[in-house]
């Protein structure tokens, strides 16, 4: 049977399993077993056992449960309340005023949670009632939350960057640092859009709150400062070479526990809930990674990646044309799968093509995350849209329409890092130096 026919059969089966509601991890395992049994002469049992074990028995994955636990601890603290009360006084004079709380709040919480949906849910739960009470339009409230929530995938410590780093066998520390400047760039783009919109639609903005003295602003931000200091210490220790990602994650957990204790939110129940939440999420991701590893090995035995890479090479696409095609492919795939599943499903096939085109895999990791971020706010399976629908009860497509400007801003960000790749690669290069 031709390799192309085998690929089409396996792809059809994968979509059949996913469409039937089978877990992503089980779907990956099933396709891998089917490919090995029916299209190769390899010994399926030993391959599955050794591949699944070796994909998880790696120190590269050690930071994953720790960073997730750090986010779970702070998620159960009063961080979202502190964020709103701490940021609002400083933003009241900017065009767009308190709408910027959504953007900056999501940026800060993204550095804690590493999750897009958790970021949108946490900040939205606090800001939506307050902004509505102040008289801000739902369209901008939901748009800024949906768009800014995607920062959870990019700003370190990003869970999806750990997954990509393990799949592509890259340094997690360098990937984390590569995500910093693109994350800051996105925050600036989002805040600029909000400011421009507010300037052009002054009649749709509520009146500004009365100004408060500088001392009161500082006092209001007092409880936010320790969290920002913790985040800075975690990322700074990785960048400075003082700590590995695993050590920095452990430090982050200890710091989060101390802050939670000092704020009075650390109880026996919240500690157990945090541990169980981190365990469930970590197990889910590891299960998906093991399934993806089995599928990757199965694909290697069938020869599909090799043939596909050769086919792409025959098309003689320029790197820019290849990236344009991959952008469309990732956006479409992201409409039906979550970000982690998109990454683990595609790396075995995509990375050989990317390497053959001479594209830096470190830069490509940031590019992939940005494109996957776009899929978080596109129907029918944009996870941020579902989160906001659950918080507000609004129509899913109305929320998607509100998020549309931020989709185009993410597309602009992809264009900017393509034209100026140093945005993603400069900091890791300095780190090496």
């Amino acid at each position: 049977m031709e390799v192309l026919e085998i690929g089409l059969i396996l792809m059809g089966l994968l979509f059949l399993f996913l469409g039937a509601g089978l877990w992503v991890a089980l779907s990956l395992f099933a396709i891998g077993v089917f490919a090995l049994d029916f299209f190769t002469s390899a010994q399926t049992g030993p391959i599955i056992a050794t591949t699944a074990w070796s994909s998880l028995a790696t120190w590269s994955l050690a930071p994953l449960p720790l960073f997730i636990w750090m986010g779970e601890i702070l998620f159960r603290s009063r961080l979202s309340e502190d964020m709103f009360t701490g940021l609002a006084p400083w933003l009241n004079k900017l065009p767009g005023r308190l709408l910027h709380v959504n953007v900056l709040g999501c940026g800060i919480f993204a550095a804690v949670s590493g999750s897009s949906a958790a970021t949108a849910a946490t900040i939205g739960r606090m800001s939506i009632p307050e902004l509505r009470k102040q008289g801000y339009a739902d369209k901008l409230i939901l748009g800024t939350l949906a768009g800014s929530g995607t920062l959870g995938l990019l700003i370190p410590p990003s869970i999806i960057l750990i997954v990509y780093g393990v799949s592509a066998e890259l340094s997690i520390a360098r990937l984390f640092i590569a995500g910093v400047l693109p994350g800051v760039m996105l925050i600036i783009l989002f805040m600029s859009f909000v400011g421009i919109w507010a300037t052009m639609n002054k009649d749709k903005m509520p009146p500004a709150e009365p100004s408060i003295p500088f001392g009161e602003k500082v006092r209001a931000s007092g409880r936010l400062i320790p969290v920002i200091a913790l985040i800075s210490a975690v990322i700074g220790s990785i960048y400075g070479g003082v700590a590995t990602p695993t050590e920095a994650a452990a430090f982050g957990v200890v710091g989060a526990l101390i802050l939670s204790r000092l704020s009075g939110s650390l109880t026996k129940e919240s500690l157990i809930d945090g541990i169980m939440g981190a365990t469930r999420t970590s197990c889910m991701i590891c299960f998906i990674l093991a399934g993806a590893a089995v599928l990757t090995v199965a694909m290697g035995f069938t020869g599909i990646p090799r043939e596909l890479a050769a086919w792409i090479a025959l098309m003689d696409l320029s790197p820019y044309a290849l990236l344009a095609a991959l952008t469309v492919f990732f956006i479409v795939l992201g409409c039906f799968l979550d970000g982690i599943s998109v990454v683990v499903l595609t790396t075995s096939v995509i990375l050989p093509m990317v390497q053959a085109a001479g594209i830096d895999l470190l830069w490509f990791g940031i590019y992939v995350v940005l494109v996957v971020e776009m899929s978080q706010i596109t129907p029918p399976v944009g996870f941020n849209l579902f989160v906001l629908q659950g918080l507000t009860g609004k129509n899913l497509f109305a929320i998607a329409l509100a998020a549309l400007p931020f989709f185009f801003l993410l597309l602009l960000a992809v264009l900017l890092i393509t034209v100026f790749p140093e945005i993603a690669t400069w900091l890791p290069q300095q780190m090496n130096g």
Side-chain angles (χ1 to χ4, degrees):
M1 187 179 290
E2 292 290 328
V3 171
L4 178 61
E5 293 174 357
I6 295 173
L8 290 174
I9 291 170
L10 295 179
M11 186 181 296
L13 280 174
L14 179 61
F15 280 108
L16 177 65
F17 289 156
L18 292 173
L22 191 64
W23 290 356
V24 171
L26 290 178
S27 299
L28 297 176
F29 270 111
I31 297 300
V33 170
F34 183 83
L36 288 169
D37 273 347
F38 288 91
F39 301 120
T40 74
S41 57
Q43 292 182 305
T44 305
I47 288 174
I48 291 174
T50 55
T51 302
W53 170 254
S54 62
S55 67
L56 300 179
T58 167
W59 278 109
S60 299
L61 277 176
L64 181 71
L66 291 171
F67 277 127
I68 294 172
W69 189 20
M70 183 180 88
E72 289 282 346
I73 295 165
L74 292 174
F75 174 73
R76 286 166 173 78
S77 71
R78 290 196 290 267
L79 175 59
S80 58
E81 299 170 32
D82 295 343
M83 217 173 290
F84 197 91
T85 55
L87 291 174
W90 300 98
L91 302 170
N92 203 36
K93 294 297 180 185
L94 291 178
R97 292 192 284 281
L98 297 186
L99 289 170
H100 294 296
V101 173
N102 280 349
V103 180
L104 286 176
C106 286
I108 294 170
F109 195 82
V112 170
S113 73
S115 163
S116 175
T119 299
T122 305
I123 302 303
R125 198 174 290 124
M126 183 64 199
S127 70
I128 290 173
E130 185 63 31
L131 292 175
R132 279 177 167 174
K133 189 169 73 179
Q134 298 269 358
Y136 289 87
D138 262 14
K139 186 175 180 181
L140 259 292
I141 296 173
L142 298 176
T144 51
L145 276 172
S148 304
T150 61
L151 293 167
L153 295 179
L154 181 61
I155 293 179
S158 161
I159 294 169
I160 198 170
L161 282 178
I162 296 176
V163 172
Y164 174 81
V166 171
S167 301
E169 298 180 359
L170 292 174
S171 161
I172 305 298
R174 294 186 72 224
L175 276 169
F176 275 2
I177 300 308
V180 172
L181 287 183
V184 172
M185 175 185 70
L186 273 182
I187 290 174
I188 293 171
L189 285 175
F190 291 164
M191 291 184 71
S192 300
F193 169 77
V194 170
I196 292 168
W197 187 92
T199 303
M200 294 173 64
N201 297 273
K202 290 181 179 178
D203 57 315
K204 296 181 181 178
M205 294 295 295
E209 290 286 305
S211 183
I212 64 173
F214 180 79
E216 286 189 32
K217 289 181 181 180
V218 174
R219 277 193 295 275
S221 306
R223 285 169 56 183
L224 192 57
I225 292 170
V227 176
I228 295 175
L230 175 64
I231 294 165
S232 303
V234 169
I235 304 303
S237 63
I238 296 172
Y239 179 74
V242 177
T244 64
T246 307
E247 292 164 346
F251 170 77
V253 167
V254 172
L257 286 169
I258 292 171
L259 291 181
S260 185
R261 177 66 176 170
L262 292 175
S263 69
S265 58
L266 183 62
T267 63
K268 181 182 177 182
E269 290 74 20
S270 68
L271 181 63
I272 293 172
D273 287 346
I275 292 172
M276 292 306 298
T279 302
R280 280 190 292 268
T281 304
S282 302
C283 289
M284 176 197 73
I285 293 171
C286 288
F287 195 18
I288 291 174
L289 282 173
V294 169
L295 181 59
T296 299
V297 170
M299 292 297 100
F301 274 100
T302 61
I304 291 173
R306 183 178 62 251
E307 291 293 327
L308 192 56
W311 179 60
I312 295 292
L314 286 174
M315 292 173 67
D316 200 25
L317 291 175
S318 70
Y320 291 122
L322 176 61
L323 287 173
L326 288 177
T327 300
V328 175
F329 171 72
F330 280 125
I331 291 173
V332 172
L333 200 59
C335 287
F336 302 96
L337 296 171
D338 66 281
I340 290 173
S341 301
V342 170
V343 169
V344 296
L345 270 173
T346 57
T347 45
S348 61
V349 177
I350 298 296
L351 290 184
M353 290 188 235
V354 171
Q355 285 180 298
I359 296 170
D360 181 3
L361 289 186
L362 183 79
W363 175 90
F364 187 73
I366 303 303
Y367 155 84
V368 166
V369 172
L370 279 172
V371 178
V372 168
E373 280 183 345
M374 294 160 66
S375 69
Q376 299 292 298
I377 53 176
T378 53
V381 191
F383 278 76
N384 286 13
L385 304 182
F386 283 123
V387 167
L388 293 176
Q389 185 184 40
L391 288 176
T392 64
K394 289 268 185 182
N395 180 277
L396 189 73
F397 288 95
I399 301 172
L401 190 62
L404 188 60
F406 295 88
F407 175 89
F408 288 117
L409 289 173
L410 285 164
L411 194 59
L412 174 61
V414 171
L415 181 63
L416 286 173
I417 69 159
T418 303
V419 177
F420 305 106
E422 297 81 9
I423 297 172
T425 59
W426 183 77
L427 270 181
Q429 288 167 358
Q430 303 310 304
M431 189 178 169
N432 278 351

